[in-house]
Amino acid sequence: MTVLDPPGLRELFRGHLRGHLRGVASHRVANHGLQRLLDHAPEDVAQEVLSELGPALQEPLARGHAGVVLALLGAALRHPRLQGETLRHLFQALGCWAPPLHPQCVTALAQLRPLEGGDSEEGAEPQPLSLSPWGSRALQLLLHFGDPSPVLGALGALPPPALPALARSPPGSRLWDALLGSPSVPKVTKKRLLRRLKGHWAELARDRSGSRVLDTAWACSPLPQRAQLAAELAPSLPSLLRDPLGRGAARALQLSLFLRHRPQWEELQRQGRGLEL
């Protein structure tokens, strides 16, 4: 799969795999070969795989073969014309396509498992979001689609404690990295979601995963947002300095200088400021 050129991949697919994809995707060994095919498939082959396998995506998911879904999302990321159809098939397999963009779809995406009856009940008590590594990777890929609004809408509908909790988990911090780094996510949306972390930055700075989110947010923020971050963290400087991770954050953000001489701190930030949100 990795060395064949596009004509070779077409010949392999059309001569041996086409018409058998549901069985291949559900087989405990053969599904890995399908993943490698999707990793390198030209657009026409990826389209044929999507047309045949898309309506039956729930089958590999039920067998725990999330890698097949991730490979299909990766193929759609490389071939943008497939993104709308891929998203529809994925949401249908997870049981959250109707009504479209159902806020609860993030629960299904987070685990890459279909919604159960209680997950989508109107007025149901929001449950803490449990994000698996597979679910995190799927959400990361979807955030880089040309239109990430289904994922952004679902993340925005989460209860207030959910986004800070995500930032404190390894798969959640990688999701935050993708959200802040995706050129498809509007700048105003990044700002709005980052505001949901206000009041939690000192706690995140002392957390292994949370400090990663802090670093990413700092790197992509202009001076006004950096000043707000520093102003929130500065009162916690003594406790930050007693913590190994917090100490690193305090040094990186130059919080001591921020407290002693803010104009000099602002000048240094102007000289090396990050990307403007």
Side-chain angles (χ1 to χ4, degrees), residues 21-39:
L21 292 183
R22 291 176 62 177
V24 170
S26 297
H27 191 276
R28 65 183 183 86
V29 176
N31 82 89
H32 295 285
L34 177 58
Q35 292 178 46
R36 298 294 79 75
L37 173 69
L38 286 167
D39 288 344

Side-chain angles (χ1 to χ4, degrees), residues 153-215:
L155 290 174
L158 289 172
L163 289 177
L166 281 178
R168 293 192 299 271
S169 72
S173 67
R174 291 181 176 84
L175 176 58
W176 269 105
D177 285 348
L179 190 155
L180 296 174
S182 171
S184 302
V185 178
K187 297 175 182 179
V188 66
T189 303
K190 295 179 183 181
K191 287 182 179 180
R192 185 172 65 249
L193 291 174
L194 275 175
R195 281 199 292 269
R196 301 275 289 273
L197 300 183
K198 186 177 180 181
H200 299 274
W201 286 116
E203 179 185 3
L204 293 175
R206 295 190 293 267
D207 181 86
R208 185 172 299 277
S209 297
S211 60
R212 171 181 177 153
V213 177
L214 173 59
D215 290 343

Side-chain angles (χ1 to χ4, degrees), residues 74-124:
L77 187 60
R78 294 195 314 278
H79 306 300
R81 287 190 293 183
L82 306 182
Q83 291 177 8
E85 186 180 354
T86 302
L87 188 67
R88 175 172 59 83
H89 284 309
L90 175 60
F91 275 34
Q92 287 174 339
L94 295 175
C96 57
W97 180 249
L101 316 187
H102 194 292
Q104 290 291 342
C105 74
V106 73
T107 303
L109 288 166
Q111 291 291 323
L112 276 187
R113 64 169 179 82
L115 286 174
E116 298 173 356
D119 293 332
S120 55
E121 289 177 359
E122 292 292 333

Side-chain angles (χ1 to χ4, degrees), residues 42-58:
E43 182 174 347
D44 58 324
V45 173
Q47 174 68 73
E48 290 191 55
V49 173
L50 179 60
S51 298
E52 181 178 337
L53 185 60
L57 272 185
Q58 69 275 13

Side-chain angles (χ1 to χ4, degrees), residues 255-268:
L255 293 181
S256 296
L257 180 61
F258 179 84
L259 288 170
R260 291 196 319 269
H261 202 281
R262 182 163 175 170
Q264 184 182 356
W265 180 90
E266 290 181 352
E267 181 59 32
L268 287 174

